Amino acid sequence: MGSALTNLLAFIAAISILVAVHEYGHYIVGRWTGMKVLRFSIGFGKPLWKRVSGPDQTEYCISAIPLGGYVRFLDSREADIAPEDDGRAFDQRPIPARIAVLLAGPAFNFIFAIAAYWILMSGGVMMLKPAVGSVTPDSFAADAGLVFGDRIVAVGDTETNEWESTLVAILGEMVDDGRVPLTLEDDNGRSRLATIDVGDEKTRLTEPGVLFDGLGFVPWQPPAVIGVLPDDGAASAAGLQVGDHITAIDGQAVATFNDLRAIVSPRPGETVDIVYVRDNAAETISVTLGERDVDGQKHGLLGVALSEESSEYYYRRTYGPVESFRAAAVKTWSSTVFTVQMLSRMVTGDVSMKNISGPINIAQFAGESAQRGMSYFIGFLAVVSISLGVLNLLPVPVLDGGQIVYQLIEAVKGGPMTERAQILGQQVGIFALLLLMSFAFYNDIARILG
């Protein structure tokens, strides 16, 4: 994970962007439907920066506590309405207009996710075909007959051609009845069926970071065997050769090419000791890493590439402008459905509550994604934006979804709910949010300590 300062800055940037998108949805649709906007604030508490502009003299603020934001509309329940503003208060507008304003915040979060995925997909996406890496003896995977190199062609009825959709399908099948039916293909192209049966362990295996260890196998990753060695690279200058198998860098074990990249990337220009195997003999060599600029940040560069036998597991998916937009919309929809399914499974106890993340864990992931480059950070923003949209649609009174329920009740009964009922609803909503936040903070602290 990144440094505390990097995590904090990345977290503030991420939350500010996503809150601005969400609140802008409320703001712009409110204006379109004839409502008067009194304040648009990114953050809570005392304003650090404020500007008053527009015919309605709206206050635009950046406030001290960067954990949310709000749009304040004129409301006759809070203050008397000036004659010239009569009919422009939130509660004076038609119920469909109010619902549209409440829906707009989450809707803009989903639109943002589509835009983010469209940007990422427009440049093409490198995919890793789903295949089985090392299998732990006497594990669920070993009992099912999985072996190293098996390609996962389908999970249940879902065809799979990359790891993200495969992981979603595995989780979906597992939480149903503890069984994961797989269609596998071996190195010779022969297909066979296998079923991983985890039984009563299904909920435990949904805990963060537990799935593959619990199932007993890891996704296939290319070993750190040098396949391509540019003459002007750091590795070539130090004397490494094609076919050398790198096993450690400065005392850190290297099992895959991803391990190699993770160790080398944050160390541009540093001299490291590399342990490698050549002709079945282990040797050590000192290498001064090169560097390259990625999105304005310097990253370490060893100057090696994958061995040829690994290329068959990788492929680049390219999209045209229209196709990339369609793929981004499909990905946003599937991620939204998956998020809803996981939330509902938490309620029924089929998915572990440890998956609820708080600000500490989100900040750590924000910092890590920011350090890895802009594309990773954009992908992180898309995932969190979808989660923010889904959570705000929950029927909790203090959230957009709960306020929509209030409007629907008013439409059915022909008048607003009583003040007593609304206050009770607010209290229930605040209690529910405090309970959720308690789970989130507990999980964050448990991850740090555990």
Side-chain angles (χ1 to χ4, degrees), residues 257-307:
F257 237 91
N258 280 352
D259 293 339
L260 185 151
R261 292 191 187 100
I263 296 171
V264 167
S265 182
R267 307 178 70 170
E270 295 185 22
T271 299
V272 297
D273 290 331
I274 293 180
V275 179
Y276 63 97
V277 176
R278 180 187 298 169
D279 297 328
N280 296 320
E283 301 183 38
T284 301
I285 192 171
S286 291
V287 180
T288 300
L289 300 174
E291 59 183 46
R292 61 176 173 176
D293 188 85
V294 179
D295 297 324
Q297 291 185 335
K298 292 189 181 300
H299 292 257
L301 186 64
L302 180 57
V304 297
L306 287 170
S307 54

Side-chain angles (χ1 to χ4, degrees), residues 118-138:
W118 177 72
I119 291 172
L120 296 177
M121 292 178 175
S122 295
V125 182
M126 185 63 73
M127 301 287 193
L128 176 64
K129 295 179 181 178
V132 178
S134 59
V135 178
T136 304
D138 300 321

Side-chain angles (χ1 to χ4, degrees), residues 229 234-241 244 276 278 285:
L229 193 68
S236 178
L240 288 171
Q241 299 178 9
D244 288 346
Y276 63 97
R278 180 187 298 169
I285 192 171

Side-chain angles (χ1 to χ4, degrees), residues 140-164:
F140 293 123
D143 292 342
L146 273 65
V147 297
F148 179 88
D150 279 340
R151 295 185 180 177
I152 303 175
V153 178
V155 179
D157 296 327
T158 304
E159 293 186 3
T160 54
N161 55 17
E162 45 82 26
W163 259 116
E164 184 174 346

Side-chain angles (χ1 to χ4, degrees), residues 74-77 79-89 91-92:
L74 183 67
D75 197 311
S76 66
R77 295 166 296 184
D80 294 333
I81 304 298
E84 63 270 20
D85 290 327
D86 189 46
R88 298 191 63 201
D91 60 314
Q92 293 177 333

